[in-house]
Each structure stands twice: as C-alpha cells, then as structure tokens.
Amino acid sequence: MQSDVEKIFCLIFYHPLLILMMWAYWKTIFTPVALPPNEFCLSSDDLEHFESDPSLTNRKEVLTHAAIGLPLLCRTPTGEVRFCDKCKAIKPDRAHHCSVCSACILKMDHHCPWVNNCVGYSNYKFFILFLGYALLYSLYSALTSLQYFISFWSGIGSGNSNMEKLHIVFLFFAGIMFAVSLLSLFSYHCFLVSKNRTTLESFQVPIFHSGPDKNGFNLGLRENFTEVFGSKKKFWFLPIFTSDGDGISYKTRIPTAANSYQAIESSAFSVQHSGPSNHADGLPRSVVCIDDDRNNLLDGQQQWTNDGGESRAGFDNEILDPRRP
C-alpha cells in the first residue's frame, strides 16, 4: 500500500474485527457448559426404587413422581419423562447428554471439535458471534488482498516475476475458502436462531403433549432473537452473556395448560394404554429413534447421546408410536 490514508483505513477496520473474533472465540471455548440443577436428579430413595425394578411400569411410576413440579414439556416418543441413564437425572427441556463432556447440557446445540466444547445455552451467543466475526475477517482479508492477487497474475502473464508476493496469493485463497465455509455455517445458524431451534432439534423434532412440533419453541423472529442475544441492544454484538431465561424452562406456542408434566398421564402417546394402531395396509407403523451419539461424517464416532440410554427393553432402536402415520 502506497497511500497512508489507505493504510490507516485498513488498520482501523482490521484490529477491531480481529479483537472481536478472538474475544468471541475465547468465550466459546472457555465458557463452562450449563448443567441441569440438582432438582432434576433423582433422590436416593427414588434412585434405589428405580434401579431395584427395571420394568417399564416401575420406571414410568418413579419418573412420573419425580417429575411433578418440574417445568417439563418435552417427552419421549412413548409419552414418558426424558431421563438420562448416565447422569441418573431427568432431562430439562431441550437438554441432551454429551458423551464427550460426559454430562447433560442445557439447550445443547452440538459438540464442536473446533472449539473443544459443547455449544449450548451458556455459550451459543458467543458461538454465533464468532462465526459472524470470523466470516467478516475472512472477507476482509480476501478483499484487501484482491488487488495484489490480480497484480501477481498480471505480472506472470507479462513475463515479470512476482514470487516475492506469493504469500499474498495464499492469503487471498485462504480468505476465500474460509469465507465460503463460514458463510454456509453462519447462515444455517442464523436460520436456526430465527426459528428458535437447535441443531439437534432440526434433526429430531421435539415431542410435546400434542405430538411432534418443529415450531413448538418458535415465538416469532424478535422473541427468538432476544432469547439468544437478550433485550439489551448495546450488548447484542459483544461477547457478553445476555441470553434470556434460565436454560431450564422456555416459552412455547404449546397451550399453557400443558406447561407441567401433569398432562403426560393422560397423553395419547402412552403405548401402555393405546397400543400400536393398524393402517390401511394392516401393519403397525414404527418410528426409528435417531442415534445422536454417532456422527456418520466421522465414521460412526461417538459424539453425543440425545436420549442418554432412554431405549427400553425389548424395543432396541425402534419404538412403536401409535400416532405415527
């Protein structure tokens, strides 16, 4: 760069982007994950009763009793309490068990190997900001080196050697490649925020008393945004925790009459009462549980456990769902 004005202009924009990106990255990595409170853990008496009789009826009775008074909306495909056999605790809504972190994570989105941490309620805002600032940083690097990239190839075409500027070519290509990959990931998570979904919920729809509902937590664009970024506008784009709520209970489009576990007892999901239904072909339908503990992209490597061992004896990987068409 020959112009001092151009140099100052680039420095003014470069350093704030770098600082914000590294700040958000740091917060994403080192923010402790949010865990369910002790109220969701089974008492010693309930745990003893729970483990003494492994039958489905006993499990349901113990978990139903332990869930009374807890703010639970989501349930299993059979209409029971979501329970983690590894943590010995009832799962709050939108919480899932991560086999890497060996814990249930509140509003778990996914376990990210690039930050070596779970992305969930406590650091999801930081993760979104990191993606956004990293995208801007990559685009900035590519655009500011574009003129030198063009000059490099023009020099080669005219027979002039520009090998001393080879690092500019590498910077341009690196910026473009990172920008393309970050753009797709950032756009996807912006979509999830606009719909108030997590990555896990986009693959396995939450189940409420009325059945699966992918828009169960969708409250509209504004409320969905403030649930992640908070209501204080001055902190929206800073890696400071401002997310609304407590990570345990969430506003929902589901009728408020079902905002406790009381409705589960009369739920039409209960297989014990209704049994599988036959359809036009005379065969019962079944729904296959998604194994969230395995990532097909990593050749089946365990990543997280969605159900924390919720499979029932005799059901294996399939659970009959009388409501499934």
Side-chain angles (χ1 to χ4, degrees), residues 111-129:
H111 185 92
C112 182
W114 305 110
V115 300
N116 192 32
N117 196 8
C118 260
V119 177
Y121 170 73
S122 62
N123 63 351
Y124 188 59
K125 176 189 174 183
F126 308 145
F127 178 74
I128 293 289
L129 289 178

Side-chain angles (χ1 to χ4, degrees), residues 214-273:
K214 65 180 181 180
N215 291 315
F217 296 108
N218 188 353
L219 305 174
L221 183 59
R222 182 177 179 81
E223 288 202 48
N224 293 343
F225 179 86
T226 56
E227 184 172 300
V228 175
F229 289 87
S231 55
K232 298 180 179 179
K233 297 181 180 180
K234 61 182 179 180
F235 296 127
W236 276 355
F237 303 110
L238 293 178
I240 299 173
F241 183 80
T242 54
S243 299
D244 286 346
D246 55 8
I248 300 172
S249 57
Y250 297 90
K251 296 179 182 179
T252 178
R253 293 156 52 115
I254 305 300
T256 55
N259 279 355
S260 69
Y261 188 71
Q262 308 294 335
I264 285 186
E265 281 299 286
S266 59
S267 173
F269 273 104
S270 179
V271 173
Q272 290 83 353
H273 295 292

